Amino acid sequence: MSARSARRAARAPHGTLAFVESPVQLLNVLEWAHLSTAHAPESAPGDLTLVVLAPTDPMTRGQLRRMAELARAEGHTVRWEEARGGTTAPFHTIGGLAGPLRRAARIVIGDPFSRYVQLLLTITRAQDLVVVDDGTATMEFISQLANGERLVRWHRRGGRPGPRDMVFMPVSASARRRLTPSPEGGRRVEVFSSMPIDAAPDGVRVTVNSFAWTRARFGPPRITKGADLVGTSLVETGVVDLDRYLDAVGALARTHGAARYFAHRRESAEKLHRLAVETGLQVIRPDLPLELIARRGPIGRTILSFPSTVVHTLPLALAGTEVKVAVMDIDPAWLTDKASPRAQGFLSGVTGTARDVHRLASILPADPAPGLPAQPTRQAAAPA
């Protein structure tokens, strides 16, 4: 090969670059890579580099570091970027990633609503784009893409764009165009999801995430007799009133004899302290996404949840076990004045489209059901 041919080959797009900002996104990239390699060798990720755009909150960072260890054990390269480590951090991060972005043949992203990711998409020349789940937001992304709408997180829709939103609109519009398939231009878009997607935009390929990697690597879990409760960050995002949420958690725990509360990584320390004091629940901050924690065990025979991603993912991760997932709808009276006008409809859709889950009564009794203890017994935390 001549020197010119070698330089041309070096410049040719190659490899896969994945951008993740949360532990669940990283987990779903591993699931996508596993499925692509096992069942579709022609679309296998090849050289996969996972770029972690590190957030600042300690719990998310801890889970991301644990997930990065699992990714390295799978043979993937992990690049940790302190993308939010000061005012100049974004410039250093974007500058350092410009070369890899231009060389990558495929880009995988976990959050199409992320301004960071949207900015990075304006740099890449890759013709293959993959969106993996960032939870239930994937459902909203598909809907907005199909309708040609601007990309806005569901709990922020209905409000007027702020000054920063207005400034960023051209970048967001460019990202949406990049995420729109262009058969004539050779741009291909895949959505890898465990969410219910009935109608995808024209040209978008939907691949089902069945959590095959998780089931192959972990478990089956030891199942305990009691129930476990899964936390949500709906209070932190301003959707649900704090007092109403604590009342509902307490009622669920009393009614179903739950002992443990697996906190969402975004739940505040103050809220969790109050929850533990008022409900008697043992609060556990998982060091990995709940799908992996549940699959490793021990886990309760019943997992109780409010509308969230886990009502879709846990039945898949725990397929073949005796664990049941039960979901309780959010009562409209719990919503705050700041909640998006469409929050109730979105949350109801999350519950209504969940497969293999049991729907609980919309209003829970204030007193425990007959035969159940008034105060839950405590259990040991799940092992690290």
Side-chain angles (χ1 to χ4, degrees):
M1 179 184 293
S2 67
R4 179 178 297 178
S5 298
R7 287 194 297 270
R8 188 182 299 115
R11 290 194 299 267
H14 64 278
T16 298
L17 205 57
F19 294 96
V20 298
E21 298 173 88
S22 77
V24 168
Q25 292 173 26
L26 204 160
L27 169 60
N28 287 323
V29 171
L30 294 181
E31 292 285 354
W32 169 80
H34 173 78
L35 183 67
S36 298
T37 302
H39 300 296
E42 71 280 1
S43 62
D47 295 331
L48 172 60
T49 298
L50 281 141
V51 181
V52 179
L53 302 173
T56 57
D57 68 286
M59 186 171 180
T60 302
R61 289 172 66 89
Q63 287 193 10
L64 274 168
R65 290 198 182 279
R66 289 295 309 277
M67 289 302 303
E69 293 173 5
L70 295 177
R72 291 189 182 99
E74 293 294 309
H76 305 307
T77 300
V78 178
R79 177 170 172 167
W80 186 279
E81 294 285 343
E82 291 294 351
R84 297 169 175 83
T87 54
T88 62
F91 300 101
H92 290 301
T93 298
I94 293 171
L97 290 170
L101 272 165
R102 293 191 181 100
R103 291 191 296 270
R106 181 190 286 113
I107 298 293
V108 182
I109 65 172
D111 183 5
F113 298 104
S114 165
R115 287 179 173 173
Y116 228 128
V117 168
Q118 290 179 1
L119 190 57
L120 293 172
L121 285 177
T122 65
I123 301 173
T124 184
R125 301 170 182 170
Q127 294 299 297
D128 282 342
L129 297 171
V130 181
V131 179
V132 301
D133 273 336
D134 183 40
T136 52
T138 306
M139 300 160 65
E140 190 73 350
F141 164 69
I142 288 291
S143 173
Q144 292 177 17
L145 192 65
N147 295 327
E149 302 172 0
R150 68 188 184 97
L151 302 179
V152 183
R153 298 186 193 277
W154 69 267
H155 55 82
R156 294 179 183 169
R157 290 191 70 184
R160 301 181 67 177
R164 292 180 62 188
D165 298 317
M166 298 295 292
V167 170
F168 207 79
M169 274 186 180
V171 174
S172 181
S174 174
R176 180 170 52 78
R177 288 192 296 271
R178 294 288 301 165
L179 291 166
T180 301
S182 175
E184 65 280 1
R187 186 166 60 248
R188 295 165 293 276
V189 178
E190 175 187 357
V191 174
F192 179 73
S193 177
S194 58
M195 299 296 112
I197 299 176
D198 296 327
D202 291 341
V204 173
R205 174 189 174 193
V206 177
T207 306
V208 176
N209 176 11
S210 64
F211 283 86
W213 178 83
T214 295
R215 295 197 308 274
R217 296 294 187 273
F218 301 94
R222 179 171 66 85
I223 301 172
T224 65
K225 294 182 179 179
D228 289 323
L229 208 153
V230 178
T232 175
S233 60
L234 290 173
V235 171
E236 283 71 18
T237 53
V239 176
V240 171
D241 176 77
L242 172 60
D243 291 331
R244 299 282 188 145
Y245 180 76
L246 295 178
D247 288 343
V249 168
L252 267 177
R254 290 191 301 270
T255 302
H256 296 276
R260 300 186 299 179
Y261 180 95
F262 287 94
H264 188 281
R265 58 187 175 82
R266 290 201 188 102
E267 290 187 86
S268 69
E270 295 79 11
K271 168 188 164 186
L272 293 175
H273 174 73
R274 183 177 165 187
L275 185 146
V277 170
E278 295 183 14
T279 67
L281 285 164
Q282 179 187 9
V283 175
I284 297 174
R285 283 186 172 271
D287 61 349
L288 288 169
L290 190 60
E291 293 80 7
L292 302 187
I293 293 291
R295 186 69 194 179
R296 292 187 315 172
I299 195 70
R301 189 169 299 276
T302 300
I303 298 177
L304 307 165
S305 176
F306 296 101
S308 73
T309 302
V310 298
V311 303
H312 295 278
T313 60
L314 283 179
L316 296 171
L318 294 168
T321 72
E322 297 178 0
V323 178
K324 304 299 181 185
V325 179
V327 59
M328 178 180 177
D329 280 317
I330 297 295
D331 191 303
W334 303 353
L335 301 181
T336 68
D337 294 337
K338 299 178 181 179
S340 164
R342 65 183 305 275
Q344 182 62 36
F346 180 82
L347 292 169
S348 296
V350 170
T351 302
T353 55
R355 301 174 293 268
D356 300 323
V357 299
H358 174 66
R359 298 186 70 168
L360 302 174
S362 58
I363 301 296
L364 290 175
D367 298 320
L372 291 178
Q375 293 294 331
T377 57
R378 295 183 178 271
Q379 298 177 356

